[in-house]
Amino acid sequence: MSQSVLLLPGDGIGPEIVTEAEKVLRKVNEKFNLGLSFESGLVGGAAIDATGGPLPDETMERAQKVDAILLGAVGSPKWDNLKMELRPEKGLLGLRSGLQLFANLRPAILYPQLASASSLKPEVVSGLDILIVRELTGGIYFGQPRGVRTLENGDRQGFNTYIYSESEIRRIGRVAFEAAQQRNGKLCSVDKANVLEVTVLWREVMNELAQEYPDVELTHMYVDNAAMQLVRAPKQFDVIVTGNMFGDILSDEAAMLTGSIGMLPSASMNAEKQGMFEPCHGSAPDIAGQGIANPLATILSAAMMLRYSLNAEDAALAIEAAVSRVLDQGLRTADIMSPDGRRVSTAEMGEAVLAAL
Ligand code: IPM
Ligand code: MG
């Protein structure tokens, strides 16, 4: 059965890192006889320059048809002055919401080879393996009403709406409980139930769901405390489930525990197992075009794509093993450089993964 992949390189370092991941995908496609076909499209600033908007209809139509999407990154200061509706980020948010990719899985795993790259003490982070399950199509990111209005007295007022329905909470909750069952059976739900009603409901629904998953130990934590615990004793966590905005913030924090956000992949899934896979890092416009970006997060995102959307666990494991091997060989891009490492470019890192495959 043939399966299709849409490549959306986007902006900044996006094209460089997606090029390397595409090579890796084509290689495993051959090696494991996966029958994948590839196409590419425009999103973000690249789409704004070519078509006037961050998410052309053509991209959306193709996104709806394919089995999986590999996205690089969107955004750069070049487009920062545009109206909110026209900014590159709207391309990404439009794909998430248009495809109903409500479940965002963001693993934070410390590779033993990179223990010294973390800004935290090795004993605090060694062996770290956390999964953040972030709700991705609701909450304050999408709640209505939103905007900036001018009051009668001339004072301007900005507003957004933090809103979750029970069904939205339940479906992300199920993803998180099931992930915890596959892992160490611990789930921490992060909220601000001491202040925000919407998260009082969040907590209630998580407690109801817990009845259905007696093998999972559910705990709750306020988001401010969770931010602190993540740097104090991150290994206390197994799976964390939280809403869109808290998940955005905590996943960047968790990423940094591992030394470099340049290593971390992510998956955004809908109920049909269609997914969009992207590195957790952004478009890094400051280093774009220099050939120094780390392609491993995108290559590992391709592995997640094979695992979660394309039913090719063997190929996913092969890529992950190849990444681990190049780290063993001491190859390092600038972001993960260590005194004993050998500095390589984006393309050299990609080639090394191909060779290790
Ligand atoms: C992320 C990013 C996005 C988000 C931006 C680029 C819109 O920070 O994927 O975490 O806020 O979700
Ligand atoms: Mg973010």
Side-chain angles (χ1 to χ4, degrees):
M1 196 188 70
S2 109
Q3 301 188 95
S4 50
V5 174
L6 176 62
L7 304 167
L8 297 176
D11 310 321
I13 59 172
E16 298 161 61
I17 54 181
V18 169
T19 297
E20 300 312 314
E22 181 184 353
K23 288 186 205 156
V24 169
L25 276 172
R26 288 187 186 272
K27 172 103 183 194
V28 294
N29 187 31
E30 241 169 69
K31 196 171 163 179
F32 293 86
N33 217 339
L34 301 175
L36 302 181
S37 65
F38 299 92
E39 51 189 285
S40 48
L42 292 170
V43 72
I48 296 175
D49 286 352
T51 70
L55 182 55
D57 291 344
E58 196 200 331
T59 300
M60 193 63 208
E61 279 156 24
R62 289 158 92 188
Q64 260 146 357
K65 284 192 203 124
V66 294
D67 296 287
I69 302 167
L70 186 71
L71 183 133
V74 296
S76 147
K78 181 179 168 196
W79 301 285
D80 273 358
N81 297 325
L82 294 172
K83 280 204 314 247
M84 187 68 99
E85 283 316 305
L86 287 176
R87 289 174 58 119
E89 288 80 358
K90 279 287 172 190
L92 180 60
L93 297 172
L95 282 166
R96 288 176 180 171
S97 112
L99 300 173
Q100 275 298 298
L101 304 170
F102 69 90
N104 185 209
L105 311 179
R106 298 191 161 184
I109 295 171
L110 184 88
Y111 284 81
Q113 300 95 324
L114 300 180
S116 63
S118 176
S119 50
L120 273 76
K121 294 193 195 97
E123 64 266 28
V124 176
V125 289
S126 72
L128 185 82
D129 181 353
I130 299 177
L131 177 67
I132 297 190
V133 178
R134 168 188 175 193
E135 200 291 326
L136 203 60
T137 52
I140 197 166
Y141 269 52
F142 293 96
Q144 295 287 347
R146 63 190 295 159
V148 179
R149 63 191 162 208
T150 305
L151 303 178
E152 269 170 27
N153 65 5
D155 197 11
R156 282 184 305 155
Q157 191 176 56
F159 56 99
N160 289 88
T161 303
Y162 189 178
I163 186 165
Y164 270 120
S165 60
E166 191 180 346
S167 55
E168 286 176 300
I169 303 169
R170 189 162 288 121
R171 70 177 179 176
I172 193 68
R174 287 201 187 286
V175 171
F177 274 100
E178 282 162 25
Q181 280 180 324
Q182 306 289 319
R183 294 169 48 102
N184 294 323
K186 280 172 57 185
L187 176 61
C188 179
S189 170
V190 171
D191 62 35
K192 190 71 186 174
N194 50 346
V195 178
L196 303 172
E197 285 82 353
V198 46
T199 68
V200 173
L201 179 66
W202 178 281
R203 192 176 278 222
E204 261 175 47
V205 174
M206 290 295 161
N207 280 331
E208 285 164 24
L209 272 179
Q211 311 294 317
E212 294 176 41
Y213 299 90
D215 48 341
V216 174
E217 178 204 333
L218 173 70
T219 55
H220 302 277
M221 202 178 271
Y222 297 139
V223 62
D224 48 349
N225 186 25
M228 180 183 75
Q229 295 299 334
L230 267 175
V231 285
R232 193 188 72 84
K235 284 188 269 182
Q236 69 186 284
F237 297 107
D238 177 19
V239 180
I240 292 176
V241 63
T242 190
N244 206 342
M245 183 168 63
F246 297 161
D248 178 43
I249 300 166
L250 294 181
S251 62
D252 264 28
E253 189 188 5
M256 214 46 224
L257 302 174
T258 70
S260 172
I261 196 166
M263 292 298 299
L264 296 182
S266 78
S268 307
M269 310 291 303
N270 67 21
E272 286 78 47
K273 299 248 182 273
Q274 187 196 24
M276 181 160 77
F277 301 82
E278 47 177 316
C280 281
H281 61 71
S283 56
D286 53 321
I287 60 163
Q290 300 175 30
I292 59 173
N294 185 348
L296 293 179
T298 316
I299 290 171
L300 291 167
S301 298
M304 286 186 99
M305 173 163 92
L306 291 160
R307 169 169 300 125
Y308 290 112
S309 279
L310 303 176
N311 240 321
E313 177 71 19
D314 288 359
L317 289 171
I319 293 177
E320 288 162 353
V323 167
S324 190
R325 212 161 309 137
V326 301
L327 294 175
D328 284 339
Q329 291 161 6
L331 304 187
R332 303 282 185 269
T333 43
D335 57 310
I336 51 174
M337 192 54 197
S338 54
D340 53 341
R342 182 155 75 77
R343 171 96 187 252
V344 293
S345 68
T346 309
E348 285 165 340
M349 187 60 107
E351 288 301 324
V353 174
L354 282 184
L357 273 168

